[in-house]
Amino acid sequence: GAWNFGPSENDTQTVSWILNKFAEKIPNAIWQIDQNPQVHEASLLKLNCDKALFHLKWESTLHYEETISFVSKWYYAFYKEKVNIYDFTQLQIDNYEKLAFERNKKWTLIQK
């Protein structure tokens, strides 16, 4: 079955808050929120991550600001810097795992 990985139940932000934070991080990003959309869009999106928490003891490692920083750097590297995106992605994964270990996330303490 499907697995969801995301922020804790108590750590939520609106879609517009997230978009505004991305706009701060990505130079020359252009988008706008349509005040009169033709279709309904949720202003708050949430994932149920109970399965990952229960079975894997997984919990979010990054706070929203850190997540936005990771993602915006990836997109900027891919679209603007034209770096080797495989190597860049591997470096981000390594940094993420290091942060998780430093923050004593249970899923990182399992011996390989």
Side-chain angles (χ1 to χ4, degrees):
W3 293 76
N4 289 321
F5 298 89
S8 70
E9 180 73 23
N10 300 327
D11 191 15
T12 59
Q13 295 293 344
T14 64
V15 173
S16 62
W17 184 91
I18 292 170
L19 286 174
N20 287 328
K21 290 296 179 180
F22 269 109
E24 292 173 10
K25 300 280 186 191
I26 300 176
N28 303 316
I30 300 173
W31 60 65
Q32 65 184 23
I33 298 173
D34 187 347
Q35 299 302 320
N36 297 308
Q38 299 298 315
V39 295
H40 171 72
E41 290 289 336
S43 62
L44 182 65
L45 303 173
K46 292 176 76 171
L47 295 173
N48 182 336
C49 304
D50 291 346
K51 183 177 177 182
L53 176 61
F54 180 78
H55 292 288
L56 304 175
K57 308 300 183 231
W58 188 91
E59 59 186 15
S60 182
T61 298
L62 304 175
H63 304 290
Y64 269 99
E65 295 276 348
E66 294 170 312
T67 301
I68 290 168
S69 180
F70 264 66
V71 174
S72 61
K73 285 177 183 176
W74 189 94
Y75 275 96
Y76 192 80
F78 182 78
Y79 286 108
K80 297 293 186 184
E81 294 179 344
K82 307 296 184 193
V83 301
N84 179 320
I85 203 62
Y86 178 84
D87 290 342
F88 187 85
T89 303
Q90 284 298 129
L91 180 62
Q92 280 198 322
I93 292 169
D94 291 344
N95 289 337
Y96 175 83
E97 289 178 336
K98 180 181 175 190
L99 280 172
F101 185 79
E102 289 171 357
R103 294 174 182 179
N104 295 314
K105 299 300 178 181
K106 292 178 185 172
W107 59 267
T108 65
L109 305 177
I110 299 170
Q111 297 295 317
K112 293 182 181 182

